[in-house]
């Protein structure tokens, strides 16, 4: 939180619980500060809000809004953990699964994957919709990083992290709607021709395993992965950025 | 098809897994001239792992099978070790992999014998299908059934302790393993191991007694074949790593202590239009004479000894049955299978007592290469995984010879032999169906596990004469009832 933010006595109410917020905070910021979990995928504390995944949709005084983009304001009555909203969130999550190629059983991100953890949290038991099976390109040109677009959910965390935290501009989303895809800012379109390194935060920020460090799969045994030990809704799980080879219980 | 031939098709209508179909080709004298066990499932793993990262493969390919995923995991892991330039694992990693594989083989063998095959062997091949399943065994022979179920469970517990899950876990990583076993995990497994060894001995006795008590079954699907398998440096039974040994039916050596990385120099694969499963053969002997059998029967026949004392004593009794020559009885697969299960149980006890499996030196690294070949003795036989990668680390080419593939020709030959013995003129009988299933199941439960999982596999049998006319159709419904629908 910025030093310029000033405390005030304003409060908002989420599912009947009154919590304080500071000037400049979004509903999501205030909720996370109060250890209230609002499901989300494209939000990450420290990055500019994006508002694209719509998983954090809440009802504010009866109207739908994205918790990650809407500023908290005095007197807001917010519904979050309701059957209706979680039903919509589950449908959104199912759509994310079928629009990509998410094969959890063999994916090296399984157990550490935010999308999978959100799906478990929402009691998602199947994809419900027919699979799209899109044909997407794997870019393994970089010596240390592999880009597997099959798993990309277009959250732009990598795009924003590269710009805002790494001071680079490695990733971008191009196209619209179902034709949207993750691209790389280099003349060849290959990751190898960018200035990304394995030390960049953007190489580790991906919540779903679309961007992975090469040659290091499955090093964390089952039982010690992040979501073997925690649920996505637990306070403090959110900011954990997993480094390859680190066991979740070593953080 | 010759005009003098008739075609008998035994075609499962639906199957949850292991979809197989048998066609019997008869000549004008109603003798079964040829049997074709069609494998009509297309797995396609060799193709769809192309373009995937090599370090993902060992976890990916274990999905080939739900009974022996660990074998695929470890065969791929051995190939990947070579891709990362690792020739020798740390003692901890090696012993953990061996322990994992013993657990795998024990649970698979217990499943194969007790759950899937013992109903045939205990009740008779033609007995009531409603009772010829594991539930029927539990009712009539509760002590035997419970021991079998617990043996499998224990093997799965060994797997779960190492790989995190009983089925489709994660354990092997390039150059090693991702975890060791804690003292608590070892002690927990050691608490039951004496019972497991004792029950494995009982299983050997049971399989031996069944074989001895039914001399009429000694020729059931019997073949005189070559045997291929892995052996240790002293010629002992070896399931995880060793050289290849092939011996001819007369016991003479075709090859010995052969480095499996040269497998393409000794094995060729023939493709036949009617099956997705290839037909491997030893190239030095050619297609006609080069086919061979793998799996427990091959391994126990092929080895000079077994390193653990109880299994070695059992092996000697097994060898004495054929007066030291190869035991070629197809149903002796089950006897050999239980000897191996006993060896697994004894080996698990030894490894659980070894401090190395609690060590934390688990991974070694090396200089990356573009090709890796891993071979392991899976429960059903020698398993080959061969990968080539590009400079970016993506799989460029994959070749897998799975155990059942190596037994392909042998299964066809056993089916032909049994069909010729039991088919009655131009009529297909339920007894014939049962006997064909028993022959296949001696080698592999995967093609038929739906049968005994519930005892209710739907089957359709069609009889087509030399002119292509359908002359008979027999349907076994999912309720076990047989109907002639012509």
């Amino acid at each position: 939180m910025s030093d310029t933010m000033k405390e005030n006595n304003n409060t908002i109410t989420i599912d009947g619980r009154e919590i304080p917020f500071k000037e400049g905070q979004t509903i999501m910021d205030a909720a996370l500060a109060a250890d209230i979990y609002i499901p989300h995928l494209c939000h990450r504390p420290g990055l500019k809000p994006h508002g694209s995944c719509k998983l954090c949709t809440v009802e504010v005084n009866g109207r739908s809004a994205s918790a990650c983009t809407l500023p908290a304001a005095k007197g807001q009555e917010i519904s979050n953990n309701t059957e209706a909203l979680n039903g919509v969130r589950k449908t959104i999550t199912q759509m994310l699964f079928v629009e990509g190629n998410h094969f959890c059983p063999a994916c090296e991100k399984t157990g550490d994957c935010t999308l999978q953890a959100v799906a478990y949290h929402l009691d998602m038991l199947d994809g419900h919709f027919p699979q799209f099976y899109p044909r997407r390109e794997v870019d393994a040109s970089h010596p240390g990083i592999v880009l597997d677009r099959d798993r990309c959910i277009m959250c732009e965390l990598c795009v924003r992290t590269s710009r805002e935290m790494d001071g680079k501009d490695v990733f971008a989303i191009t196209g619209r709607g179902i034709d949207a895809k993750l691209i790389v800012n280099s003349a060849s379109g290959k990751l190898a021709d960018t200035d990304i390194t394995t030390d960049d935060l953007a190489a580790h920020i991906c919540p779903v395993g679309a961007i992975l460090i090469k040659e290091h799969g499955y090093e964390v045994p089952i039982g010690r992965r992040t979501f073997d030990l925690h649920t996505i809704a637990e306070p403090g799980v959110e900011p954990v950025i997993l480094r390859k080879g680190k066991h979740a219980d070593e953080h | 098809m010759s005009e003098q031939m008739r075609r008998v098709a035994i075609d499962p209508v639906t199957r949850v897994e292991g979809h197989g179909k048998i066609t019997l080709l008869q000549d004008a004298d109603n003798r079964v001239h040829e049997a074709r066990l069609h494998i009509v499932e297309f797995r396609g793993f060799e193709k769809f792992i192309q373009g995937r990262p090599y370090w993902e493969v060992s976890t990916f390919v274990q999905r080939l099978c739900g009974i022996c995923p660990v074998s695929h995991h470890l065969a791929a892991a051995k190939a990947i070790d070579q891709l990362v330039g690792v020739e020798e694992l740390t003692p901890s990693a090696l012993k953990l992999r061996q322990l994992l594989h013993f657990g795998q083989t024990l649970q698979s063998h217990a499943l194969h014998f007790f759950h899937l095959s013992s109903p045939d062997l205990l009740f008779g091949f033609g007995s009531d299908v409603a009772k010829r399943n594991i539930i029927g065994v539990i009712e009539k022979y509760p002590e035997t059934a419970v021991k079998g179920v617990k043996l499998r469970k224990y093997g799965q517990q060994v797997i779960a302790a190492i790989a995190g899950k009983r089925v489709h876990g994660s354990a092997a990583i390039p150059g090693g393993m991702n975890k060791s076993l804690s003292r608590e995990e070892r002690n927990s497994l050691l608490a039951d191991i004496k019972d497991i060894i004792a029950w494995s001995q009982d299983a050997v006795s049971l399989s031996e007694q069944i074989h001895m008590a039914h001399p009429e079954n000694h020729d059931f699907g019997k073949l005189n074949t070559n045997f291929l398998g892995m052996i240790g440096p002293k010629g002992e039974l070896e399931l995880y790593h060793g050289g290849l040994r092939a011996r001819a039916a007369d016991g003479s050596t075709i090859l010995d202590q052969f480095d499996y990385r040269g497998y393409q120099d000794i094995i060729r694969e023939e493709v036949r239009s009617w099956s997705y499963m290839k037909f491997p053969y030893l190239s030095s002997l050619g297609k006609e004479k080069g086919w061979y059998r793998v799996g427990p029967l091959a391994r126990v026949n092929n080895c000079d000894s077994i390193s653990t004392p109880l299994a070695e004593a059992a092996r000697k009794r097994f060898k004495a049955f054929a007066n030291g020559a190869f035991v070629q009885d197809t149903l002796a697969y089950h006897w050999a299978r239980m000897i191996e299960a006993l060896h697994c149980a004894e080996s698990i006890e030894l490894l659980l007592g070894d401090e190395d499996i609690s060590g934390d030196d688990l991974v070694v690294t090396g200089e990356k290469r573009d090709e890796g070949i891993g071979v392991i003795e899976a429960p059903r036989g020698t398993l080959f995984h061969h990968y080539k990668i590009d400079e970016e680390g993506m799989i460029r080419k994959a070749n897998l010879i799975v155990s059942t593939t190596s037994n392909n020709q042998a299964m066809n030959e056993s089916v032909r032999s049994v069909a010729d013995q039991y088919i009655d003129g131009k009529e297909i009988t339920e007894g014939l169906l049962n006997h064909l299933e028993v022959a296949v199941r001696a080698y592999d439960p995967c093609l038929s596990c739906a049968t005994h999982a519930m005892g209710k596999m739907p089957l359709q049998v069609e009889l087509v004469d030399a002119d292509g006319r359908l002359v008979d159709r027999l349907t076994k419904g999912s309720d076990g009832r047989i109907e002639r629908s012509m």
Side-chain angles (χ1 to χ4, degrees), chain A residues 189-226:
Chain A
K190 292 287 187 185
L191 205 57
D193 296 323
T194 69
D195 55 355
I196 193 170
T197 73
T198 54
D199 291 330
D200 288 3
L201 213 47
H204 302 270
I205 198 78
C206 180
V208 292
I211 302 169
L212 289 167
I213 304 302
K214 274 185 161 182
E215 306 185 346
H216 287 278
Y218 315 100
E219 287 172 351
V220 183
I222 291 171
R224 300 181 72 182
R225 302 167 303 186
T226 305

Side-chain angles (χ1 to χ4, degrees), chain B residues 359-403:
Chain B
D360 54 9
D361 187 11
L362 295 173
V363 179
V364 284
T365 56
E367 195 74 22
K368 213 157 96 183
R369 305 171 194 164
D370 63 1
E371 187 169 10
I373 296 169
V375 175
I376 199 164
E377 282 295 333
R380 271 158 289 291
T382 319
L383 171 65
F384 299 78
H385 279 226
H386 181 183
Y387 304 104
K388 291 182 181 176
I389 57 172
D390 62 23
E391 63 278 7
E392 294 179 352
M394 301 294 112
I395 299 289
R396 184 162 58 84
K397 193 174 177 186
N399 187 39
L400 313 178
I401 306 178
V402 302
S403 319

Side-chain angles (χ1 to χ4, degrees), chain B residues 79-151:
Chain B
I80 292 166
D81 290 342
Q82 288 173 35
L83 290 174
V84 297
V86 171
E87 290 294 333
E88 192 173 349
L89 299 175
T90 67
S92 292
L94 176 62
K95 289 172 185 175
L96 282 161
R97 285 195 189 177
Q98 289 170 328
L99 179 59
L100 178 63
H101 197 47
F102 283 128
Q104 152 72 34
T105 307
L106 177 63
Q107 72 84 15
S108 173
H109 278 5
L111 175 80
H112 195 153
F113 180 71
F114 286 99
H115 299 61
L116 301 171
S117 297
S118 76
D120 298 326
L121 303 172
L122 293 170
F123 295 132
F125 308 162
S127 62
D128 180 7
V129 284
K131 292 183 179 170
R132 189 158 39 94
N133 53 49
I134 187 65
I135 305 298
V137 178
I138 289 170
E139 284 173 359
K140 188 158 185 195
Y141 305 98
E143 195 184 343
T144 299
V146 168
K147 283 178 188 172
V149 170
K150 286 187 173 178
L151 276 177

Side-chain angles (χ1 to χ4, degrees), chain A residues 105-106 108 138 140-141 146 148 150-151 214-222, chain B residues 51-52 54-56 59-60 63 163-165 169-170 173 178-179 368 392 394:
Chain A
E108 61 189 271
V138 175
S141 61
V146 63
D148 185 350
D150 276 344
R151 300 169 186 154
K214 274 185 161 182
E215 306 185 346
H216 287 278
Y218 315 100
E219 287 172 351
V220 183
I222 291 171
Chain B
R52 299 303 307 170
Y54 75 80
W55 59 92
E56 185 184 88
T59 302
F60 200 107
R63 296 278 163 175
K165 288 164 65 182
S170 88
I173 55 176
N178 69 9
K179 81 180 270 278
K368 213 157 96 183
E392 294 179 352
M394 301 294 112

Side-chain angles (χ1 to χ4, degrees), chain B residues 309-328:
Chain B
L310 298 175
E312 170 63 2
R315 185 193 71 88
K316 284 179 175 163
R317 288 198 302 276
F318 181 86
K319 292 295 283 185
F321 172 71
N323 299 317
F326 282 160
V327 178
Q328 294 277 11

Side-chain angles (χ1 to χ4, degrees), chain A residues 55-71:
Chain A
L55 216 62
C56 70
T57 299
V58 290
E59 285 188 358
V60 183
N61 300 333
R63 302 180 69 173
S64 296
S66 297
C68 73
T69 54
L70 190 70

